[in-house]
Amino acid sequence: MTESLGSTTAQRGRPRNADVDRAVIETVLRLLTQGVSFGELSMEGIAREAGVGKTTVYRRWPGKEALLIDVLEAVEVPLPEPGGQSLREDLVAAVEATRKRNLTKGESALMRNVLAQVQSSPELWQHYRDTFVAPRRAAFVRILRRGIDSGEIRADVGADLDLLVDMLAGPVLYRATLRPEVLQVEGLAERVVDTFLDGVGSHDRTRRCG
């Protein structure tokens, strides 16, 4: 990953105006929500829509990819810290937070545009994966490891934690990108987690929950 993707490359000098940053970022989110693809946007058009000068935008972001990273950071909400009462409760909270994060039109539009943009930019994908995807997957892994340690998840399936995370987050992310109309169904997180635990949960867990 190079420095060019972050906003840290802004030229030194006067402190950045947070109101200007916010206006530009909110403009990008609004345009994406309205159906404009990120590929169709130009720095000049973004500046015009935000009511700021083109040089003001370029002073903050060297290009659109750097701007997209700051837009993602502006809306990023980390997964909640698990309460630790039970494996099921912690997993439901994590899956539900993932679902709610993708409910708004802005989030869904961002997700689709990121997926489209990263196909032509390995550098952007690496940054997105390291900065946004990896921490969320790590949060799921921590919950799953506690479930293995407590005996609520069978030890024989616990070796492939990467696959287990995909099984939990995958249904929500699939719906967010390809079937957003069914993402709003209440109880989705509970159904995903219960189906997951039916497959990987230990017999001891079943007896305790019965």
Side-chain angles (χ1 to χ4, degrees):
M1 181 185 69
T2 66
E3 215 179 26
S4 62
L5 283 182
S7 59
T8 55
T9 54
Q11 297 176 1
R12 289 181 173 85
R14 292 181 304 172
R16 284 171 57 155
N17 186 326
D19 291 337
V20 172
D21 288 5
R22 184 163 51 251
V24 173
I25 288 171
E26 289 177 352
T27 295
V28 174
L29 280 171
R30 174 173 56 80
L31 292 171
L32 294 179
T33 301
Q34 292 173 350
V36 181
S37 73
F38 194 73
E40 294 172 325
L41 295 178
S42 67
M43 297 292 272
E44 293 81 359
I46 293 169
R48 184 170 56 252
E49 289 285 337
V52 300
K54 179 177 65 174
T55 56
T56 299
V57 175
Y58 274 113
R59 189 180 301 124
R60 288 161 167 76
W61 299 280
K64 288 200 304 179
E65 290 185 358
L67 175 54
L68 180 58
I69 290 296
D70 274 7
V71 172
L72 289 165
E73 289 178 351
V75 300
E76 176 66 9
V77 178
L79 288 178
E81 283 299 317
Q85 296 301 312
S86 72
L87 171 66
R88 182 182 183 276
E89 288 183 12
D90 289 346
L91 288 177
V92 167
V95 174
E96 177 65 3
T98 303
R99 183 186 77 90
K100 286 184 175 179
R101 178 176 179 265
N102 289 279
L103 274 179
T104 66
K105 290 179 66 177
E107 288 283 357
S108 296
L110 261 181
M111 173 75 73
R112 289 192 297 272
N113 277 278
V114 166
L115 293 177
Q117 200 73 15
V118 297
Q119 294 179 15
S120 59
S121 176
E123 184 183 4
L124 176 63
W125 169 238
Q126 186 69 43
H127 187 100
Y128 177 72
R129 186 174 60 183
D130 292 346
T131 306
F132 303 105
V133 177
R136 287 180 166 271
R137 293 186 69 87
F140 272 102
V141 166
R142 288 193 295 271
I143 297 172
L144 290 169
R145 280 183 174 148
R146 284 202 301 273
I148 295 169
D149 292 342
S150 68
E152 294 174 273
I153 293 178
R154 300 198 321 268
D156 62 306
V157 300
D160 196 346
L161 289 172
D162 195 53
L163 176 60
L164 297 186
V165 174
D166 287 345
M167 293 169 65
L168 286 163
V172 174
L173 297 177
Y174 173 85
R175 291 187 174 205
T177 54
L178 298 177
R179 300 186 65 204
E181 73 279 0
V182 293
L183 188 63
Q184 300 185 24
V185 177
E186 295 295 331
L188 175 62
E190 287 82 357
R191 293 202 305 279
V192 168
V193 170
D194 288 339
T195 302
F196 171 82
L197 291 177
D198 283 344
V200 306
S202 66
H203 294 301
D204 182 55
R205 171 194 169 273
T206 304
R207 287 196 297 269
R208 289 201 303 269
C209 294

